[in-house]
Amino acid sequence: MKFLDSAKIYIKAGNGGAGCISFRREKFIEFGGPDGGDGGKGGDVIAECVQNLNTLIDYRYQQHFKAKNGTPGMGRNRSGPSGADVVIKVPPGTEIYAEDNETLIADLKEPGERVVLARGGNGGFGNAHFKSSTNQAPRHANPGLEGEELTIWLRLKLIADAGLVGLPNAGKSTFLAAVSAAKPKIADYPFTTLHPNLGVVRAGDIDFVLADIPGLIEGAHEGAGLGTRFLGHLERCRVLLHLVDATQDDIATAYHTVRTELAAYGHDLETKTEIVALSKIDALDEDARREKAAELEAVAGQRPLLLSAVAGQGVDTALFALAREIGRAEKHEASENPEPAKPWQP
């Protein structure tokens, strides 16, 4: 399935049905009177968060969604049925924006969450609604109201507990493939990863989701390389694992390049908990490892982990470090939000 994290669609709620103008005309009924029924309500357009979806690819092939109109009222005081709703199914982590792509309408994170995006128009009153002692034979009825219509943006931000960042060819996809069942593309040239990949990782008794995004290069916030398009998928991560290629000639520049791009992107990515690791250490001897590690520690302000996903060195240490930070973040979030949000009730 092709990965798509942004889509623009048009939605239209159903119009309300018109009220009916009718009079009771039956044999032996001297005073029939008005009996026109009300029109039915138009259908709503509803967005629902569902499991087992991780892309918005469905909305590349269909961009228009229209709910059914309400049925007009009928004689004998029969009201028209309401129009059927349209439910737009989106994966967890989907944000819904207005047409300006800036005004947030809803943020659907948990499966089962629903939000009404466009409400159907109310049905019109039939002439039976207007009868009174002074107007016993009304000959007018209301038309149904039009349903709401708007253009919206769907923007997916993957929900992962930890994220991998680094320059292209830093070993991110190799690490993800080594610790999970994910099968990202791996090759010996930059930008082999063209879209984010997710993998479920187990560290002891703790399971968490690890996200791998395409590598960043200098000037990514200005559109260089693949730009910062995929950095949004790291906004929900609790911790970042920053991989620095040990075979780089200038370790400090490699580290600062990624940190600069995270800070330029904003959205508090630069303030997230970061674990720094020196990758591909199997390509260096002991003296070179110590020299590179000391250089990275000097610029990062913390002692880096030493790992090689290919050789399996230091992988478990990195996983347990990620699990520990995720656990701390969960406890902090629980203390700030002691009461879970109540599920939506139809």
Side-chain angles (χ1 to χ4, degrees), residues 19-105:
C20 176
I21 300 176
S22 174
F23 292 89
R24 187 178 183 186
R25 291 287 185 261
E26 297 183 38
K27 193 175 182 179
F28 306 120
I29 302 296
E30 184 176 1
F31 303 105
D35 66 349
D38 300 337
K41 177 183 176 296
D44 298 332
V45 179
I46 302 171
E48 181 181 6
C49 181
V50 298
Q51 289 181 335
N52 302 324
L53 278 181
N54 58 7
T55 177
L56 299 173
I57 188 64
D58 293 340
Y59 303 106
R60 169 167 289 182
Y61 307 108
Q62 182 181 359
Q63 292 87 30
H64 291 75
F65 296 87
K66 297 182 180 180
K68 297 293 184 180
N69 295 331
T71 304
M74 294 167 282
R76 298 184 182 179
N77 291 311
R78 290 176 294 176
S79 297
S82 299
D85 296 335
V86 167
V87 179
I88 299 174
K89 296 182 178 181
V90 297
T94 301
E95 293 179 341
I96 302 175
Y97 287 86
E99 188 174 7
D100 60 6
N101 209 4
E102 294 181 356
T103 304
L104 181 64
I105 298 176

Side-chain angles (χ1 to χ4, degrees), residues 13-301:
N15 298 329
C20 176
I21 300 176
S22 174
F23 292 89
R24 187 178 183 186
R25 291 287 185 261
E26 297 183 38
K27 193 175 182 179
F28 306 120
I29 302 296
E30 184 176 1
F31 303 105
D35 66 349
D38 300 337
K41 177 183 176 296
D44 298 332
V45 179
I46 302 171
E48 181 181 6
C49 181
V50 298
Q51 289 181 335
N52 302 324
L53 278 181
N54 58 7
T55 177
L56 299 173
I57 188 64
D58 293 340
Y59 303 106
R60 169 167 289 182
Y61 307 108
Q62 182 181 359
Q63 292 87 30
H64 291 75
F65 296 87
K66 297 182 180 180
K68 297 293 184 180
N69 295 331
T71 304
M74 294 167 282
R76 298 184 182 179
N77 291 311
R78 290 176 294 176
S79 297
S82 299
D85 296 335
V86 167
V87 179
I88 299 174
K89 296 182 178 181
V90 297
T94 301
E95 293 179 341
I96 302 175
Y97 287 86
E99 188 174 7
D100 60 6
N101 209 4
E102 294 181 356
T103 304
L104 181 64
I105 298 176
D107 187 2
L108 304 179
K109 299 179 181 178
E110 299 294 334
E113 290 182 339
R114 305 182 94 195
V115 61
V116 178
L117 301 177
R119 297 188 178 277
N122 290 326
F125 291 134
N127 67 335
H129 184 86
F130 298 101
K131 65 182 179 182
S132 66
S133 59
T134 58
N135 186 10
Q136 298 185 8
R139 297 184 178 275
H140 67 277
N142 285 346
L145 298 179
E146 290 189 359
E148 298 176 342
E149 59 180 314
L150 64 157
T151 299
I152 60 174
W153 281 91
L154 305 177
R155 190 185 304 169
L156 174 61
K157 294 181 179 178
L158 295 177
I159 296 180
D161 300 300
L164 294 171
V165 296
L167 292 176
N169 251 20
K172 301 184 297 298
S173 297
T174 304
F175 181 82
L176 180 66
V179 300
S180 72
K183 299 184 183 302
K185 182 179 180 180
I186 301 172
D188 58 352
Y189 54 86
F191 297 113
T192 52
T193 301
L194 298 178
H195 58 79
N197 295 297
L198 290 179
V200 178
V201 181
R202 187 172 187 84
D205 297 330
I206 300 177
D207 291 337
F208 61 90
V209 179
L210 182 63
D212 167 31
I213 69 163
L216 300 172
I217 64 173
E218 186 176 359
H221 67 281
E222 298 175 347
L226 294 178
T228 57
R229 172 185 171 189
F230 298 112
L231 280 182
H233 298 290
L234 298 179
E235 292 181 23
R236 304 183 192 275
C237 294
R238 296 184 172 97
V239 58
L240 302 179
L241 177 59
H242 186 167
L243 298 184
V244 180
D245 187 354
T247 62
Q248 289 271 347
D249 293 332
D250 192 344
I251 294 293
T253 300
Y255 176 81
H256 281 303
T257 296
V258 175
R259 294 300 302 177
T260 299
E261 298 305 324
L262 294 178
Y265 177 79
H267 298 278
D268 298 328
L269 286 188
E270 73 279 7
T271 62
K272 287 186 178 294
T273 303
E274 180 190 52
I275 297 175
V276 181
L278 193 66
S279 65
K280 302 183 182 181
I281 61 171
D282 57 302
L284 304 177
D285 56 27
E286 289 295 334
D287 293 337
R289 290 181 190 179
R290 285 194 293 268
E291 181 181 347
K292 296 285 187 179
E295 186 178 351
L296 182 56
E297 182 178 2
V299 297

